[in-house]
Amino acid sequence: MLTIAGKAKDLGDNFHVRRVLPSARIEAPGRRMVGPFIFFDHMGPATFAPGQRFDVRPHPHIGLATVTYLFDGEIMHRDSLGSEQAIEPGAVNWMIAGRGIVHSERTSDDKQASGQRMEGIQAWVALPDGHEEDAPAFHHHPADSLPSFDWPGVSATLIAGTAYGETSPVLYPGGADRLVYLAAELEAGATMPLPAGHPEMAVYVVDGSVSVGGAPIERGTMAVPQDETPDLTATSAARIMILGGTSPGERHIWWNFVSPSAARIHEAARDWRDGRFPKLPNDDGEAIDLPEDRPMPKVQARR
């Protein structure tokens, strides 16, 4: 069983994340992901005192879909389509970047005044071949619109894709059966089946501890089983995420851009630097600059 320990990163203002994907431990050529999941950050937990704020300034994306899922707190999403939507625990903000979108993620004025505790998962899903340049889109899905499952001592929610004969309303280009993304809470000693029918899958332990196929997995660790349907048992009260699906194949990831084409990554970088991405009409904050010191993927010379 492959295990991936998240790496702590300080994003500033005393806000920390545990970054799990992309991971160099996944050794397939051109692949550092699980199924289509190419980026996975465990945000927080963090406590913001009154007057403090979570503040991710406007920035661009291409070639991916972002999915934000919170356990505590609230984030206000704004994007270049004109969307403005707060997300709260149990709901889903699903943004398809496609050929290009700009968004920000901030604390609302109300939450800044009162303070808040925040924790959640920010994941990116690479779009499948033929959909990388789809029109950008944004959809909010309330918590009560998502399929839920119960086993003894277990409560689970299907965030996106398909599992246990159900399909999430979150629409993944290319078909919901290419994706699985679940959140689950387990009492100590409880067991649950992992969803079948997906070629790649991983389990991430948000809190507590579990065993997968008999192997112990601790908080902040992702397990990638080699067996399609190993047993999963909570060795303490636990919160987990289950993710995976069908790989879209080789992908470049650089900064906020994902593409099968290195040349497309370079094009997107030039477009952001030169102001050709769409503007954010409802956010007057300073945008995030390109990371000029980060090596870009090499473009193959034409023969």
Side-chain angles (χ1 to χ4, degrees), residues 3 9 18 48 56 59 88 97 103 133 165 214 216 220 228 238 268:
T3 58
K9 290 185 176 289
R18 188 181 296 272
F48 295 87
V56 179
H59 58 281
E88 295 180 331
H103 76 137
E133 299 294 323
E228 183 181 356

Side-chain angles (χ1 to χ4, degrees), residues 127-150:
L127 298 180
D129 288 343
H131 293 276
E132 310 97 310
E133 299 294 323
D134 280 2
F138 174 81
H139 301 283
H140 174 78
H141 298 274
D144 62 7
S145 70
L146 303 174
S148 60
F149 312 93
D150 291 289

Side-chain angles (χ1 to χ4, degrees), residues 219-230:
R219 180 182 185 274
T221 301
M222 182 175 287
V224 185
Q226 306 305 307
D227 181 7
E228 183 181 356
T229 55

